[in-house]
Amino acid sequence: MTWHPHITVATVVEDQGRFLFVEEFKAGQHVFNQPAGHLEANETLQQAALRETLEETAWDVELTGVVGIYLYTAPSNGVTYQRICFAARPVRHHPQRALDSDITRALWMTRAELLAEPQRWRSELVPRCIDDYLAGPLHSLALLRD
Protein backbone atom coordinates (compact mmCIF):
# COMPACT_ATOMS: atom_id res chain seq x y z
CA MET A 1 0.00 0.00 0.00
CA THR A 2 1.35 3.42 -0.96
CA TRP A 3 1.08 6.21 1.58
CA HIS A 4 0.08 9.62 0.21
CA PRO A 5 -0.31 12.60 2.53
CA HIS A 6 -2.93 15.16 1.53
CA ILE A 7 -1.77 18.76 1.31
CA THR A 8 -4.40 21.19 2.55
CA VAL A 9 -4.65 24.89 3.30
CA ALA A 10 -6.75 26.69 5.88
CA THR A 11 -7.30 30.35 6.64
CA VAL A 12 -7.84 32.06 9.99
CA VAL A 13 -9.73 35.24 9.15
CA GLU A 14 -10.25 37.64 12.06
CA ASP A 15 -12.36 40.76 12.25
CA GLN A 16 -12.68 42.55 15.61
CA GLY A 17 -12.33 39.40 17.70
CA ARG A 18 -14.58 37.25 15.55
CA PHE A 19 -13.38 34.52 13.22
CA LEU A 20 -14.75 33.37 9.88
CA PHE A 21 -15.81 29.71 9.90
CA VAL A 22 -17.67 27.40 7.62
CA GLU A 23 -20.33 24.96 8.70
CA GLU A 24 -20.21 21.79 6.64
CA PHE A 25 -22.05 18.49 6.72
CA LYS A 26 -19.57 15.65 7.33
CA ALA A 27 -20.14 12.13 8.65
CA GLY A 28 -23.79 12.84 9.36
CA GLN A 29 -23.37 16.04 11.36
CA HIS A 30 -22.86 19.76 10.92
CA VAL A 31 -19.32 20.71 11.91
CA PHE A 32 -17.25 23.91 12.07
CA ASN A 33 -13.97 24.41 10.25
CA GLN A 34 -11.82 27.22 9.00
CA PRO A 35 -12.21 27.87 5.29
CA ALA A 36 -10.01 25.04 4.06
CA GLY A 37 -9.38 22.59 1.27
CA HIS A 38 -6.92 20.71 -0.87
CA LEU A 39 -4.11 22.15 -2.93
CA GLU A 40 -4.89 21.75 -6.62
CA ALA A 41 -2.49 21.11 -9.49
CA ASN A 42 -0.54 24.12 -10.72
CA GLU A 43 -1.47 26.45 -7.86
CA THR A 44 0.61 27.87 -5.05
CA LEU A 45 -0.29 27.40 -1.41
CA GLN A 46 -1.28 31.06 -1.21
CA GLN A 47 -3.48 30.81 -4.30
CA ALA A 48 -5.15 27.72 -2.81
CA ALA A 49 -5.89 29.54 0.46
CA LEU A 50 -7.41 32.54 -1.35
CA ARG A 51 -9.47 30.30 -3.66
CA GLU A 52 -10.78 28.03 -0.90
CA THR A 53 -11.72 31.00 1.30
CA LEU A 54 -13.65 32.64 -1.53
CA GLU A 55 -15.35 29.40 -2.64
CA GLU A 56 -16.42 28.43 0.87
CA THR A 57 -17.30 31.83 2.39
CA ALA A 58 -17.81 34.32 -0.48
CA TRP A 59 -15.10 36.51 1.08
CA ASP A 60 -12.05 37.91 -0.65
CA VAL A 61 -9.26 38.08 1.90
CA GLU A 62 -5.71 39.36 2.10
CA LEU A 63 -3.22 36.88 3.50
CA THR A 64 -1.14 38.43 6.29
CA GLY A 65 1.07 35.56 7.40
CA VAL A 66 1.52 31.88 8.14
CA VAL A 67 0.07 30.63 11.42
CA GLY A 68 1.69 27.20 11.23
CA ILE A 69 2.24 23.96 9.39
CA TYR A 70 0.43 20.98 10.91
CA LEU A 71 0.53 17.23 10.42
CA TYR A 72 -2.72 15.49 11.31
CA THR A 73 -3.91 11.92 10.88
CA ALA A 74 -7.69 11.67 10.97
CA PRO A 75 -8.81 8.97 13.37
CA SER A 76 -11.95 8.35 11.32
CA ASN A 77 -10.14 7.17 8.18
CA GLY A 78 -6.38 7.11 8.93
CA VAL A 79 -5.65 9.68 6.22
CA THR A 80 -2.72 12.00 6.95
CA TYR A 81 -3.10 15.69 6.13
CA GLN A 82 -0.46 18.38 6.05
CA ARG A 83 -2.25 21.65 6.74
CA ILE A 84 -0.66 24.99 6.01
CA CYS A 85 -2.66 27.53 7.98
CA PHE A 86 -2.67 31.17 6.93
CA ALA A 87 -3.81 34.32 8.70
CA ALA A 88 -5.87 36.79 6.72
CA ARG A 89 -7.97 39.89 6.96
CA PRO A 90 -11.36 40.25 5.27
CA VAL A 91 -11.40 42.54 2.22
CA ARG A 92 -14.69 42.17 0.36
CA HIS A 93 -17.82 40.09 0.79
CA HIS A 94 -19.79 38.80 -2.21
CA PRO A 95 -23.18 38.00 -0.60
CA GLN A 96 -24.77 36.84 -3.87
CA ARG A 97 -22.02 34.29 -4.54
CA ALA A 98 -23.02 30.64 -4.10
CA LEU A 99 -20.92 28.67 -1.63
CA ASP A 100 -19.36 25.26 -2.35
CA SER A 101 -21.99 22.53 -2.36
CA ASP A 102 -20.70 20.86 0.81
CA ILE A 103 -20.81 24.12 2.80
CA THR A 104 -24.01 24.78 4.75
CA ARG A 105 -23.08 28.37 5.59
CA ALA A 106 -20.28 30.76 6.47
CA LEU A 107 -20.45 32.41 9.86
CA TRP A 108 -18.50 34.66 12.21
CA MET A 109 -17.89 33.35 15.74
CA THR A 110 -15.77 34.29 18.71
CA ARG A 111 -13.22 31.87 20.13
CA ALA A 112 -15.51 31.37 23.17
CA GLU A 113 -18.44 30.44 20.93
CA LEU A 114 -16.29 27.90 19.10
CA LEU A 115 -14.94 26.40 22.33
CA ALA A 116 -18.49 26.02 23.68
CA GLU A 117 -19.25 23.36 21.03
CA PRO A 118 -16.29 20.93 20.83
CA GLN A 119 -18.53 18.18 19.45
CA ARG A 120 -18.96 20.33 16.33
CA TRP A 121 -15.28 20.82 15.50
CA ARG A 122 -14.24 19.19 12.22
CA SER A 123 -11.01 18.28 14.04
CA GLU A 124 -8.92 19.49 16.92
CA LEU A 125 -6.97 21.57 14.41
CA VAL A 126 -9.85 24.05 14.30
CA PRO A 127 -9.37 25.51 17.80
CA ARG A 128 -5.62 24.86 17.70
CA CYS A 129 -5.17 27.12 14.66
CA ILE A 130 -7.15 29.88 16.40
CA ASP A 131 -5.09 29.53 19.57
CA ASP A 132 -1.81 29.46 17.64
CA TYR A 133 -2.89 32.56 15.70
CA LEU A 134 -3.72 34.39 18.93
CA ALA A 135 -0.54 33.29 20.71
CA GLY A 136 1.76 34.08 17.77
CA PRO A 137 4.17 34.50 16.31
CA LEU A 138 2.77 34.99 12.85
CA HIS A 139 5.34 33.91 10.26
CA SER A 140 6.13 35.83 7.09
CA LEU A 141 4.54 34.73 3.83
CA ALA A 142 8.10 34.79 2.47
CA LEU A 143 8.61 31.53 4.39
CA LEU A 144 6.83 29.78 1.51
CA ARG A 145 8.79 29.30 -1.71
CA ASP A 146 6.97 28.56 -4.93
Side-chain angles (χ1 to χ4, degrees), residues 1-113:
M1 179 174 176
T2 304
W3 178 74
H4 295 287
H6 295 250
I7 299 173
T8 62
V9 294
T11 309
V12 172
V13 182
E14 183 189 14
D15 186 34
Q16 300 178 6
R18 296 181 322 144
F19 297 92
L20 183 59
F21 290 99
V22 297
E23 181 181 71
E24 51 192 347
F25 194 70
K26 296 290 179 190
Q29 74 175 49
H30 291 275
V31 295
F32 299 128
N33 197 5
Q34 277 89 22
H38 288 83
L39 178 68
E40 293 183 357
N42 302 313
E43 86 182 333
T44 68
L45 293 166
Q46 293 178 39
Q47 290 168 338
L50 294 171
R51 175 186 52 76
E52 288 289 351
T53 303
L54 179 61
E55 289 175 354
E56 293 189 352
T57 69
W59 276 93
D60 284 318
V61 298
E62 177 186 356
L63 301 179
T64 58
V66 177
V67 175
I69 300 171
Y70 303 84
L71 197 60
Y72 174 75
T73 300
S76 61
N77 61 12
V79 173
T80 299
Y81 299 90
Q82 181 178 42
R83 174 189 261 209
I84 297 84
C85 185
F86 292 89
R89 67 174 193 81
V91 173
R92 182 171 177 227
H93 187 226
H94 304 274
Q96 305 309 317
R97 183 183 172 96
L99 304 180
D100 273 358
S101 60
D102 58 335
I103 303 298
T104 306
R105 64 183 172 140
L107 66 157
W108 292 90
M109 298 170 59
T110 65
R111 177 181 177 274
E113 290 168 333

Side-chain angles (χ1 to χ4, degrees), residues 96-140:
Q96 305 309 317
R97 183 183 172 96
L99 304 180
D100 273 358
S101 60
D102 58 335
I103 303 298
T104 306
R105 64 183 172 140
L107 66 157
W108 292 90
M109 298 170 59
T110 65
R111 177 181 177 274
E113 290 168 333
L114 175 70
L115 294 182
E117 298 191 70
Q119 73 282 3
R120 295 193 62 197
W121 302 341
R122 172 84 186 258
S123 77
E124 67 258 14
L125 288 180
V126 177
R128 182 172 178 200
C129 287
I130 296 294
D131 288 344
D132 289 349
Y133 166 81
L134 291 171
L138 198 58
H139 306 282
S140 169

